[in-house]
Amino acid sequence: MKIFDTPILVTRPYLPSLERYKEGLAEIWQNQWLTNNGPVLQRFQKRLAETLGLPDERLSLFVNGTLALEIVFQAFGLDTPGAEVITTPFTFVATSHALRRVGATPVFADVDPETLCMTPESAERLITERTKAIVPVHVYGHPCDLDGFGRLARKYDLRLIYDAAHAFGVTVDGRSIAEYGDASMFSFHSTKLFHSIEGGLLTFRKPELRTRLEQLKNFAISSETTCEAIGTNAKMNELAALMGECCLDVLPELIAHRKIVYEAYAEVLEGNPKVRLLPKSSTMFGHVIGHNYAYCPVLFDSFEVRERVYAELKRANVFTRRYFYPLLSDFEPYRNTHGRTPPRARRASDCVLTLPTYHGLDPAEARAVALNALEILG
Ligand code: T4K
């Protein structure tokens, strides 16, 4: 087994050249404007709109993805007492935490064994008169069944809000995945393919929503003398927006490198019956998908095997992650809040491992990590 001299982490943030960032800092110093809808943020937002092919009025930037979720849930009235929201337990805790923090009750549906995303069929079985919204997650950037969820939301007149934290840069039939649902949240955390140190982006179908979102993230103050609701402080600052701009300069390169790493893993792992690298199919649910290769998840046959590979790779100085284990519904705040644990989500959580992938990762290192995994499997 290859023991790496320096730790191979599951991810590392992309860092632009210091010169590029310093140029931007000089502009910020000149502006003497650090936060509260500053000029760098406004330019970043315009560039994002162009990248996504959306009008400016359908975008809003936030300090992080979690607060972006909380605010869009509030804006859509999910803070109404008794509101239930159907979502997946196979996700990062932030998805459900944001629901609970606005007072909604998450109800956990099951996932598709191929994409590990929640399915519309499983969600439909849980709809009651208390259901107000559906919150599917594009897990690892794999698109959910977008048409299926669209039909479900229309049939029951529910809000459809995608947690697209992992899906920045994903396209569907050549257009951004942001086009789907009532709203989508993209996380710009440093561990993401694309980042602004910390950050979050909401995209939404109706431009009218923008004013409300902008107010809610600024204490719900609408003028010097008016405050109409209970808002919070969730504004992105200028230094974060600058990092976002620097990353946007190289978005195609970031995706291209992740694809090379994914292909290096595929080269070694594909065809081995003991491990399954989740495929990046070019067509999903009848749509042509442009993947962002944000994560490299693999599935093993059992919990025991996954745990062994995870522990032994650590001994080789390779720090994979069990995204997402434990299953969210097993965490203390969510225990006993719903009935049966969705079995396919349970299996995914028990058997999954996300392999290292980031901009500086040499594909030869990825191949060596994969060969180590095969050696552990025996
Ligand atoms: N919805 C979903 C589906 C999400 O996955 C997330 C976030 C959200 C919502 C919420 O979005 P945000 O509010 O975060 O914008 C990380 C991230 O903190 C979190 O953003 C992300 N999902 C989640 C999947 O992963 P941890 O606890 O695993 O991060 P940590 O600190 O262990 O770092 C991971 C690896 O990256 C480590 O090996 C260290 C390395 N690292 C990390 C940072 C921050 C670096 O090398 N440099 C760094 O600066 O949660």
Side-chain angles (χ1 to χ4, degrees):
M1 185 141 84
K2 178 177 167 58
I3 312 289
F4 290 85
D5 296 334
T6 46
I8 305 282
L9 303 182
V10 72
T11 195
R12 287 207 180 263
Y14 166 76
L15 287 168
S17 76
L18 206 46
E19 289 65 39
R20 166 71 177 96
Y21 197 71
K22 276 183 183 166
E23 271 171 35
L25 286 179
E27 181 192 352
I28 292 171
W29 258 238
Q30 180 72 31
N31 293 338
Q32 294 189 36
W33 198 282
L34 299 180
T35 185
N36 290 13
N37 204 23
V40 178
L41 176 129
Q42 287 182 31
R43 190 177 59 216
F44 177 39
Q45 184 165 293
K46 269 200 164 36
R47 289 184 58 193
L48 282 169
E50 280 161 23
T51 305
L52 297 174
L54 295 176
D56 277 15
E57 302 74 47
R58 288 177 54 197
L59 259 68
S60 187
L61 279 162
F62 293 82
V63 66
N64 60 49
T66 307
L67 279 169
L69 280 178
E70 279 187 40
I71 287 174
V72 76
F73 293 158
Q74 184 182 356
F76 279 139
L78 306 189
D79 52 351
T80 315
E84 284 185 2
V85 177
I86 298 173
T87 187
T88 173
F90 189 70
T91 178
F92 192 57
V93 285
T95 317
S96 277
H97 279 4
L99 285 167
R100 282 286 285 272
R101 285 176 63 82
V102 301
T105 301
V107 177
F108 298 119
D110 212 349
V111 302
D112 177 277
E114 295 299 312
T115 63
L116 308 188
C117 294
M118 180 167 94
T119 65
E121 298 74 26
S122 170
E124 184 163 17
R125 284 194 282 276
L126 299 171
I127 292 174
T128 68
E129 68 283 356
R130 292 181 298 280
T131 309
K132 294 278 176 283
I134 317 169
V135 177
V137 181
H138 301 307
V139 185
Y140 311 124
H142 300 156
C144 299
D145 177 355
L146 299 157
D147 297 329
F149 277 117
R151 276 193 297 273
L152 191 63
R154 282 192 298 278
K155 182 171 166 189
Y156 294 94
D157 192 22
L158 300 172
R159 295 293 189 187
L160 176 56
I161 304 154
Y162 284 108
D163 180 335
H166 305 169
F168 190 73
V170 173
T171 59
V172 180
D173 299 328
R175 303 198 51 139
S176 169
I177 198 164
E179 292 283 358
Y180 288 82
D182 292 303
S184 295
M185 182 286 285
F186 298 88
S187 165
F188 291 170
H189 184 264
S190 299
T191 55
K192 298 290 183 285
L193 159 88
F194 172 85
H195 75 94
S196 59
I197 308 175
E198 292 267 5
L201 173 72
L202 284 178
T203 59
F204 32 91
R205 194 159 50 85
K206 292 191 173 165
E208 307 88 88
L209 190 63
R210 183 149 197 271
T211 309
R212 173 105 171 117
L213 294 173
E214 293 288 313
Q215 281 178 3
L216 285 174
K217 77 173 166 201
N218 188 27
F219 314 99
I221 294 170
S222 46
S223 78
E224 263 187 59
T225 53
T226 344
C227 175
E228 290 157 5
I230 309 297
T232 186
N233 180 359
K235 292 166 270 122
M236 178 180 277
N237 70 59
E238 290 288 274
L239 277 76
L242 169 61
M243 181 62 87
E245 281 209 296
C246 294
C247 292
L248 204 50
D249 292 345
V250 294
L251 178 63
E253 288 92 321
L254 296 178
I255 295 176
H257 187 80
R258 290 284 230 270
K259 183 168 191 261
I260 289 169
V261 171
Y262 175 84
E263 285 165 353
Y265 283 126
E267 209 181 296
V268 179
L269 299 176
E270 261 175 20
N272 190 301
K274 293 181 179 170
V275 53
R276 189 161 70 86
L277 180 66
L278 261 70
K280 307 281 178 191
S281 316
S282 53
T283 309
M284 292 172 77
F285 306 107
H287 294 284
V288 177
I289 306 302
H291 290 280
N292 66 0
Y293 299 89
Y295 292 84
C296 289
V298 288
L299 287 171
F300 297 99
D301 286 343
S302 68
F303 176 75
E304 291 70 27
V305 173
R306 192 277 308 276
E307 291 293 290
R308 184 152 55 83
V309 177
Y310 171 70
E312 292 195 24
L313 282 177
K314 251 189 198 176
R315 279 196 273 280
N317 226 1
V318 178
F319 297 87
T320 60
R321 288 299 277 269
R322 294 166 293 185
Y323 291 136
F324 295 98
Y325 171 83
L327 204 57
L328 217 153
S329 45
D330 288 340
F331 283 118
E332 189 56 39
Y334 299 101
R335 279 197 201 138
N336 307 321
T337 56
H338 67 109
R340 202 172 59 107
T341 301
R344 291 194 300 266
R346 159 80 70 224
R347 183 159 176 76
S349 176
D350 282 352
C351 300
V352 78
L353 202 61
T354 45
L355 301 178
T357 183
Y358 49 89
H359 199 63
L361 185 66
D362 186 332
E365 291 178 309
R367 274 191 289 274
V369 168
L371 284 167
N372 275 358
L374 292 189
E375 199 178 316
I376 296 161
L377 289 172

